[in-house]
Amino acid sequence: MSEPNGPRPTLEAVAALAGVSRATVSRVVNGGRGVREPVQERVRQAVHELGYVPNSAARTLVTRRTGAVAVVIAEPETRVFTDPFFGRQLRGISRELAAADTQLLLMFVEHRADYDRIGRYLSAGHVDGALMFSLHRDDPLPAMADRAGLPTVYGGRPGWAGADRAPRPLYVDTDNRDGARQAVRHLLERGRRRIAVITGPLDQTSALDRLDGYREALGVPAADPRLIADGGFTASGGERAMARLLDSAPDLDGVFACSDLMANGALRTLRARGRRVPDDVAVVGYDDLEPAAWADPPLTTVRQDVEEMGRLMARLLLRLLEGRRSDGTPGTGPDGARRPHARQLAPVITEARLVVREST
Amino acid sequence: MSEPNGPRPTLEAVAALAGVSRATVSRVVNGGRGVREPVQERVRQAVHELGYVPNSAARTLVTRRTGAVAVVIAEPETRVFTDPFFGRQLRGISRELAAADTQLLLMFVEHRADYDRIGRYLSAGHVDGALMFSLHRDDPLPAMADRAGLPTVYGGRPGWAGADRAPRPLYVDTDNRDGARQAVRHLLERGRRRIAVITGPLDQTSALDRLDGYREALGVPAADPRLIADGGFTASGGERAMARLLDSAPDLDGVFACSDLMANGALRTLRARGRRVPDDVAVVGYDDLEPAAWADPPLTTVRQDVEEMGRLMARLLLRLLEGRRSDGTPGTGPDGARRPHARQLAPVITEARLVVREST
């Protein structure tokens, strides 16, 4: 509504209606400690009657809790809206946060300038914690979260400088190296001998780990560089990478594309160049999201449970938040039970599993 | 990071380093009014050196500005991530907000319980304003924004009870009625005489207005109910609606689907039932987003500039925010210029335009 229809009800109005002091209302609104139950009830009645909503700029200063969590995806929204990976991970996050009555605030990163603005918002007490994913090697977000003292859980193994120093960042990932090994071993079992790889951007650990798995499965110390091309985790990137690979290694008979979207792009190029799949070239993808099933032919791929990874990230963050008292330090709950300390929480690595379809 | 590496720099530390009082630091951080330039410079140096970020829970209490705007889409994130309409509108919003250094916070609505939580966050001083779209008739969001006194701009003509009372809500829409008339007139010009319509959910004004346009173009007071089916603005809904229409009116020779996604669903059903497009049945969509061009055959559709609509929404909200002084009332800027009053701002209706392709 462009203009409010009247002033917002104040703490004073609630105090007057309930016949108590401002301080009492404030105590009730912030948990009711030290206020007798009948008085609490009277205040809650007045709050309800007036439709009073505590100003949480003030409330945040007292409780240091906002009930909200930022989800920062270090990609522009155009990428986020065209890659089903993000929608699926968000679904898991969103369901888990909703179950804990915690508000999800989604933010994208398009330009360098966006980082400063996001850093300011995150540092400013508007959220209790953050989930961050799709970070690149030199990403300033972890340092920002660190400076702001903001409890944060990452999607994907941290690859930034200092990430291996204590306290180690909390994260959820899939076993990318093992997934890649399964993909390449499967191609070897299918009798393929010239196996190329289409990688994601190598400033992301998921892309690096999958490339390492490819190398390990081939069992050669240094893979033939003519068999490696970067497809940037997009369909059009996969299309172009496949074209470069066919030019540099026309005798290739297998391709491991490190995402289903890139595999789909590769299939388009193979079709355009008259190569039959899987007869001439066998193709394996990664993710097992919608594009794998839609592909023509349907894709053999490495399944990671993306929605579950989102759920696990949210769960880890919620446990981290439980473990902090209102003053930001770990401690005991109202029932005297010891809350989990950050140091007791650990990164979670989920399994990757090969799904065989018609493309191999 | 799970645990901060050290305490966050305080206002006191900045004051000590700059050799000024806390109050002076606070004044500089909040705009510098009444502080001499050399002192301001010294404080800014200290802020920079220590990496100090003002606690904006405190800062919000002073300036009442957070630098952030909520974008609330009254749909679950699964719908948002599968309908290109939302991604495109967000792109326009995101670019415009970024240009004004304003942080976008995206929120989805999946269950009734989400409304309460979103209402609490929006009322709590964490955002300066809101953009809301895809609202349904009984949506509680406008009343929440209203109660919270939150400057808000809507996507789509408001259809909730009381929306026509002053102060009228600000919104951006396309001329849905005219777009629908163009679609149906085009089918009539192509010689079609039994024209069906696949509508969106009729608790949304965009769906209602397009249905009205269909009726007006046919020039009959009450259209044949066998020619009307609700497709819920999704591809699978369009698929099912087309099947129902073919059952109830097997002689139909034209279909106006009120979104490209629904038109794509309708094309699938027509193909499955052996009807040739456009020879047997001509099909027109609405939106002119990616699914229109991908369709087989490519879709004749009504183009609305969705990205521009997003930009216009953001621009309208930014002007509304400019027009409010820090105490929340309209007034004059620092240069004495009169800022636009909310009453001087008006809804924006953009043009719809028919794009003819092979499906008609």
Side-chain angles (χ1 to χ4, degrees):
Chain A
M1 193 73 41
S2 50
E3 296 240 315
N5 280 336
R8 192 165 125 175
T10 60
L11 191 71
E12 284 74 15
V14 175
L17 184 62
V20 299
S21 70
R22 283 182 83 259
T24 302
V25 175
S26 175
R27 273 202 297 275
V28 173
V29 164
N30 291 303
R33 197 182 305 228
V35 181
R36 284 182 306 121
E37 186 46 42
V39 179
Q40 285 200 36
E41 186 46 40
R42 226 155 70 216
V43 171
R44 279 195 293 263
Q45 278 277 350
V47 163
H48 182 74
E49 222 163 282
L50 293 172
Y52 170 73
V53 179
N55 178 328
S56 76
R59 187 166 148 191
T60 300
L61 285 175
V62 178
T63 65
R64 304 211 181 189
R65 288 300 280 267
T66 63
V69 160
V71 175
V72 188
I73 307 184
E75 303 283 352
E77 87 290 319
T78 12
R79 171 89 214 277
V80 174
F81 276 86
T82 50
D83 187 337
F85 178 89
F86 298 106
R88 193 62 78 89
Q89 192 147 53
L90 273 170
R91 193 197 303 186
I93 292 172
S94 157
R95 302 227 158 133
E96 200 66 26
L97 291 181
D101 199 25
T102 297
Q103 183 58 45
L104 184 163
L105 308 174
L106 183 57
M107 308 182 193
F108 310 106
V109 177
E110 180 141 23
H111 300 292
R112 290 307 287 190
D114 299 338
Y115 282 112
D116 281 349
R117 198 174 53 242
I118 289 175
R120 282 201 304 277
Y121 198 80
L122 294 184
S123 309
H126 297 302
V127 296
D128 299 332
L131 298 173
M132 299 186 173
F133 54 96
S134 208
L135 301 192
H136 297 255
R137 193 189 296 125
D138 58 346
D139 209 294
L141 286 167
M144 284 173 176
D146 197 24
R147 261 203 307 279
L150 191 70
T152 302
V153 172
Y154 297 93
R157 183 175 70 77
W160 55 86
D164 46 356
R165 278 200 305 269
R168 295 278 307 272
L170 280 172
Y171 66 92
V172 174
D173 205 351
T174 189
D175 192 339
N176 287 303
R177 196 183 279 249
D178 182 59
R181 276 193 306 249
Q182 291 181 48
V184 176
R185 277 191 208 129
H186 171 73
L187 287 166
L188 289 168
E189 281 159 17
R190 289 283 201 252
R192 307 303 157 136
R193 288 298 167 259
R194 282 287 278 172
I195 301 172
V197 62
I198 301 179
T199 73
L202 294 177
D203 63 347
Q204 293 194 317
T205 56
S206 56
L208 270 178
D209 292 352
R210 289 173 203 173
L211 178 58
D212 283 349
Y214 160 84
R215 287 190 169 122
E216 281 173 28
L218 285 186
V220 288
D224 183 343
R226 285 170 302 181
L227 291 172
I228 303 176
D230 183 343
F233 277 149
T234 67
S236 57
E239 206 169 348
R240 288 190 300 269
M242 190 70 246
R244 288 197 304 278
L245 290 169
L246 287 172
D247 291 342
S248 63
D251 57 338
L252 62 82
D253 57 6
V255 178
F256 167 43
C258 293
S259 78
D260 291 341
L261 273 187
M262 295 195 296
N264 267 294
L267 289 177
R268 275 203 293 273
T269 299
L270 289 167
R271 204 162 28 240
R273 299 271 188 111
R275 305 281 184 120
R276 290 166 306 161
V277 175
D279 308 52
D280 301 330
V281 180
V283 178
V284 182
Y286 205 106
D287 283 335
D288 197 28
L289 293 170
E290 289 82 353
W294 297 337
D296 178 23
L299 269 180
T300 292
T301 188
V302 179
R303 175 158 219 270
Q304 51 175 346
D305 192 341
V306 177
E307 188 169 335
E308 174 67 9
M309 288 164 74
R311 253 184 257 122
L312 290 167
M313 281 176 73
R315 235 175 269 163
L316 208 48
L317 180 62
L318 290 168
R319 290 200 62 203
L320 192 55
L321 294 178
E322 266 170 35
R324 306 192 139 214
R325 280 209 317 239
S326 58
D327 60 0
T329 63
T332 52
D335 53 354
R338 184 130 180 95
R339 287 155 164 177
H341 188 286
R343 277 183 250 278
Q344 296 167 350
L345 298 174
V348 179
I349 313 293
T350 64
E351 266 188 13
R353 184 170 57 81
L354 190 77
V355 178
V356 179
R357 297 201 185 89
E358 284 94 285
S359 67
T360 55
Chain B
M1 194 70 43
S2 50
E3 297 242 316
N5 279 334
R8 194 165 125 175
T10 60
L11 191 73
E12 285 73 13
V14 174
L17 185 62
V20 300
S21 70
R22 283 180 86 259
T24 302
V25 174
S26 175
R27 273 203 296 275
V28 172
V29 163
N30 290 303
R33 199 182 302 230
V35 181
R36 284 182 308 120
E37 186 45 42
V39 179
Q40 286 201 36
E41 185 48 38
R42 227 156 70 215
V43 171
R44 278 194 293 264
Q45 278 277 347
V47 163
H48 183 74
E49 222 162 283
L50 295 172
Y52 171 73
V53 180
N55 177 327
S56 75
R59 189 166 145 190
T60 298
L61 284 175
V62 178
T63 63
R64 306 211 178 187
R65 289 298 280 266
T66 64
V69 160
V71 176
V72 187
I73 308 184
E75 304 283 352
E77 86 290 321
T78 12
R79 168 95 212 278
V80 174
F81 275 86
T82 49
D83 187 337
F85 178 90
F86 298 106
R88 193 62 78 86
Q89 191 148 53
L90 273 170
R91 191 198 304 187
I93 291 172
S94 158
R95 301 228 157 132
E96 200 67 26
L97 291 181
D101 199 26
T102 297
Q103 184 58 43
L104 184 163
L105 309 175
L106 183 57
M107 307 181 194
F108 310 107
V109 177
E110 181 141 22
H111 301 292
R112 291 304 289 190
D114 298 339
Y115 281 113
D116 280 348
R117 197 173 55 242
I118 289 175
R120 283 201 302 277
Y121 198 80
L122 294 184
S123 309
H126 295 303
V127 297
D128 299 332
L131 298 173
M132 298 186 175
F133 53 96
S134 209
L135 301 193
H136 298 253
R137 193 191 296 126
D138 59 346
D139 209 293
L141 287 167
M144 284 174 176
D146 195 24
R147 263 203 306 277
L150 191 70
T152 302
V153 172
Y154 297 92
R157 182 174 71 76
W160 55 86
D164 46 355
R165 281 200 305 270
R168 294 280 306 275
L170 280 172
Y171 66 92
V172 173
D173 205 349
T174 189
D175 192 337
N176 286 303
R177 194 182 280 250
D178 182 59
R181 277 193 306 250
Q182 291 181 49
V184 177
R185 276 192 207 128
H186 171 73
L187 286 167
L188 289 168
E189 280 161 17
R190 289 284 202 252
R192 307 301 158 138
R193 289 298 167 259
R194 282 285 277 172
I195 300 172
V197 62
I198 300 178
T199 73
L202 293 177
D203 64 346
Q204 294 193 316
T205 56
S206 56
L208 270 179
D209 292 352
R210 288 173 205 174
L211 177 59
D212 283 348
Y214 160 84
R215 286 189 169 122
E216 281 174 25
L218 286 185
V220 286
D224 184 344
R226 286 170 301 180
L227 291 173
I228 303 177
D230 183 343
F233 277 150
T234 67
S236 57
E239 207 169 346
R240 288 190 300 268
M242 190 70 245
R244 288 197 302 278
L245 290 169
L246 286 172
D247 292 341
S248 62
D251 58 335
L252 62 82
D253 57 5
V255 179
F256 167 44
C258 294
S259 80
D260 291 342
L261 273 186
M262 294 195 297
N264 267 290
L267 289 178
R268 274 202 295 272
T269 298
L270 289 166
R271 202 161 31 239
R273 300 271 188 112
R275 306 281 183 121
R276 290 166 307 161
V277 175
D279 307 52
D280 302 328
V281 181
V283 178
V284 182
Y286 205 106
D287 283 336
D288 198 27
L289 293 169
E290 291 81 351
W294 296 339
D296 179 21
L299 269 181
T300 293
T301 188
V302 179
R303 174 161 221 271
Q304 51 174 347
D305 192 341
V306 177
E307 186 169 337
E308 174 68 9
M309 286 164 74
R311 252 183 258 122
L312 289 168
M313 281 176 73
R315 233 175 270 162
L316 207 49
L317 180 62
L318 291 167
R319 289 199 63 203
L320 192 55
L321 295 178
E322 264 170 40
R324 305 192 141 212
R325 279 205 320 234
S326 58
D327 60 0
T329 63
T332 52
D335 53 355
R338 182 126 183 100
R339 287 155 165 178
H341 189 284
R343 277 182 248 281
Q344 295 167 353
L345 299 174
V348 179
I349 313 293
T350 64
E351 264 188 15
R353 187 170 56 78
L354 189 77
V355 179
V356 179
R357 295 201 185 90
E358 284 96 283
S359 67
T360 54

